[in-house]
Amino acid sequence: MPPDSPAGPPTPPVPLAGLLALEELGLRLIAGPADAELSWVHTSEMADPYPYLLGGELLLSAGVLLTDPDTYVARLVEAGAAALGFGVRPVHDTVPPALVAACERYGLPLVEVPPGTPFTAIARAVWGLMAATRHRELRRVTRAQQALAAAAARPDPVPAVLHQLAVRLPGRAALLTADGEELHAAGRPPTPETRAALARLARVLAPAGRPTPSSATDTVGGAQLSAYALGGGQGLALTLATDHREPGDHTVAGIAVVLLSLLAAPHQGAHAANRSAALVRLLLGAEPADVAPLLGGDGRWTVVHARRSDGTAPDPLTAGALGAALGSALVDTGRDDETVRVLVPGGDRIAPQPGWTLGASAPAPADALGAADTRAGRALGRALATRTPLAVDNPVTGLAALLPPGPAADRARTLLAPLSAPLTETLRCWLSLHGSWDRTAVALSVHRNTVRQRIARCGVLLGTDLDDIDVRTELWLALRQE
């Protein structure tokens, strides 16, 4: 097994044949196959560079410490090296025949590097090929995104999106139900074996009261099969059957998943109609509790606040994709430039989402969504401060839940009465983060000195010592009664 490595190289790998084709380098393949793909370039004169390889490298060496070519090549293959570039002179006048034989035996491509070619020139050439490959990939993805977006604006958006997807990823694109029924399709008809395999993949993604993957892959008769779950909790899946996979295919498919999730949501029958009716009634002045039955589910909702992990502002499509992943089309991006809010029906199990930091409330009835929204915001602040992908603001549990609600709430109001709302929220956040000034500042998006000033003000107004553990405990119990 090769050493542990990162999830993948920063750019797509490039073929060794592309490097060999650069005449100015003068490289020559003298052993092994020419179909290798290069993910990195590494130079080493160690007798055994295995511990320092990630896998996929073109290893460059002049053979300074080469004494046992067979063992040396065996270790390179074990580490997952893609190819060996051997520089002749000044150490060796020619590539050692024993090294050529070992590379041929183990199937490791061996490239002769002429004396006039610096190793740095080879590395620069590989990075240049990678940059060109990345540029082509980004251009291809951009064109596909534009074509898919234009298709989504057509009068028949779902078939149009599938048609464009089948064109951009040559093969078959189909929308399947959880039972494997084909709702829409485009591209060349699949073989019976491929059709059956795609139906199996769709069933793998279907929700059945347990966590399910968001995508699945298979290979049948040389065809590359993929299935992606659509958001909305309806068990719909986008399936693809192509002859091969290229860099960027997954990104193009992801764009189609977002569009199809949004397009499928309004056409999911009575549930969508009931949701629209509930919105109309709310706008006309009905109480949330009165319209909650129209929204379906068990009458409870989870509010989720989210921010991109990389700090970038989410666009509507990205926010819609998050909502789809959480199983809801109720997404709000208008509160500020950074935070997305999602209203998830039920939501007993909110899972972390790659690329996002989430704060979630506990499930709440429709008439308590305002408080749930506040709790989700607190949870997001705590997640940001502690650098965790998900924080949940759970209801009162443990010893705090044993307190009589009436007297405990009265005592809490009396105890916290001297504090303004900003001071109360700062105190709550500070106590939840174990008195950390820096984490509280991150959670509240204020300077740490502001936190210090507010906490000092809390101590003065409450007339107590906030360094006392008994005082902190009483205040925390009081804050949990709100």
Side-chain angles (χ1 to χ4, degrees):
M1 291 291 291
D4 292 339
S5 64
T11 57
V14 297
L16 173 60
L19 184 66
L20 295 173
L22 299 177
E23 296 181 0
E24 64 272 20
L25 296 178
L27 305 179
R28 186 168 65 97
L29 182 69
I30 58 176
D35 58 355
E37 290 193 330
L38 313 177
S39 297
W40 326 89
V41 177
H42 182 62
T43 301
S44 175
E45 296 300 340
M46 298 183 66
D48 180 18
Y50 175 97
Y52 302 95
L53 300 182
L54 294 171
E57 295 92 349
L58 167 62
L59 179 66
L60 301 175
S61 174
V64 175
L65 299 179
L66 181 66
T67 57
D68 184 351
D70 192 88
T71 300
Y72 181 78
V73 172
R75 291 287 283 171
L76 293 185
V77 172
E78 185 181 359
L84 172 64
F86 195 87
V88 295
R89 298 183 191 159
V91 181
H92 296 270
D93 291 333
T94 61
V95 180
L99 181 63
V100 177
C103 287
E104 198 67 57
R105 183 164 52 254
Y106 285 99
L108 179 69
L110 175 61
V111 177
E112 181 186 69
V113 181
T117 301
F119 285 176
T120 52
I122 299 174
R124 185 167 59 244
V126 171
W127 303 139
L129 291 172
M130 286 184 171
T133 300
R134 172 62 76 188
H135 178 71
R136 287 193 298 270
E137 177 190 340
L138 292 176
R139 186 169 54 187
R140 174 171 170 261
V141 170
T142 299
R143 289 175 176 172
Q145 180 178 9
Q146 293 170 345
L148 291 170
R154 289 172 55 93
D156 53 345
V158 172
V161 168
L162 292 174
H163 172 73
Q164 277 299 324
L165 192 59
V167 170
R168 300 291 164 173
L169 308 181
R172 177 78 166 182
L175 193 62
L176 271 60
T177 68
D179 297 327
E181 178 187 357
E182 198 173 85
L183 299 179
H184 299 281
R188 62 174 180 264
T191 64
E193 294 78 11
T194 297
R195 187 185 298 274
L198 290 173
R200 287 196 298 271
L201 287 181
R203 286 193 289 272
V204 168
L205 304 182
R210 64 183 186 278
T212 57
S214 59
S215 63
T217 60
D218 196 1
T219 303
V220 173
Q224 305 291 324
L225 311 183
S226 305
Y228 302 86
L230 267 61
Q234 301 299 310
L236 299 180
L238 168 65
T239 61
L240 299 171
T242 59
D243 293 334
H244 60 276
R245 294 192 180 103
E246 295 183 10
D249 283 3
H250 186 72
T251 302
V252 174
I255 295 169
V257 168
V258 173
L259 291 173
L260 291 171
S261 296
L262 297 174
L263 293 170
H267 303 288
Q268 290 169 359
H271 179 70
N274 286 341
R275 189 168 61 208
S276 298
L279 176 60
V280 171
R281 295 188 189 186
L282 282 174
L283 292 174
L284 294 177
E287 292 297 325
D290 295 335
V291 302
L294 291 173
L295 298 174
D298 60 4
R300 299 182 305 157
W301 296 81
T302 296
V303 181
V304 177
H305 285 208
R307 289 193 183 182
R308 296 287 295 169
S309 301
D310 58 9
T312 59
D315 57 72
L317 279 180
T318 305
L322 172 65
L326 294 175
S328 176
L330 303 176
V331 180
D332 173 32
T333 58
R335 190 173 192 180
D336 58 41
D337 292 334
E338 298 179 347
T339 305
V340 175
R341 295 191 297 174
V342 185
L343 193 57
V344 182
D348 291 322
R349 187 188 293 111
I350 299 296
Q353 300 297 318
W356 292 91
T357 300
L358 306 180
S361 72
D367 57 358
L369 288 180
D373 183 50
T374 300
R375 292 181 181 276
R378 293 173 185 165
L380 175 60
R382 188 162 64 253
L384 292 170
T386 56
R387 298 181 180 179
T388 55
L390 170 65
V392 180
D393 191 278
N394 290 312
V396 176
T397 57
L399 291 175
L402 300 177
L403 299 175
D410 292 340
R411 169 60 181 164
R413 281 192 292 272
T414 301
L415 181 62
L416 300 172
L419 303 183
S420 64
L423 291 179
T424 301
E425 192 57 34
T426 301
L427 180 62
R428 183 199 314 277
C429 186
W430 183 70
L431 291 174
S432 73
L433 294 170
H434 312 292
S436 169
W437 307 109
D438 291 330
R439 289 184 173 182
T440 304
V442 171
L444 297 176
S445 298
V446 298
H447 195 276
R448 66 194 308 271
N449 289 342
T450 302
V451 176
R452 287 183 176 275
Q453 293 167 4
R454 290 182 182 177
I455 295 302
R457 183 61 177 163
C458 289
V460 171
L461 293 175
L462 295 173
T464 190
D465 180 9
L466 294 180
D467 289 330
D468 189 316
I469 186 60
D470 291 331
V471 172
R472 290 194 184 193
T473 301
E474 183 179 14
L475 288 170
W476 180 245
L477 289 174
L479 289 164
R480 293 297 284 169
Q481 297 304 313
E482 289 195 332

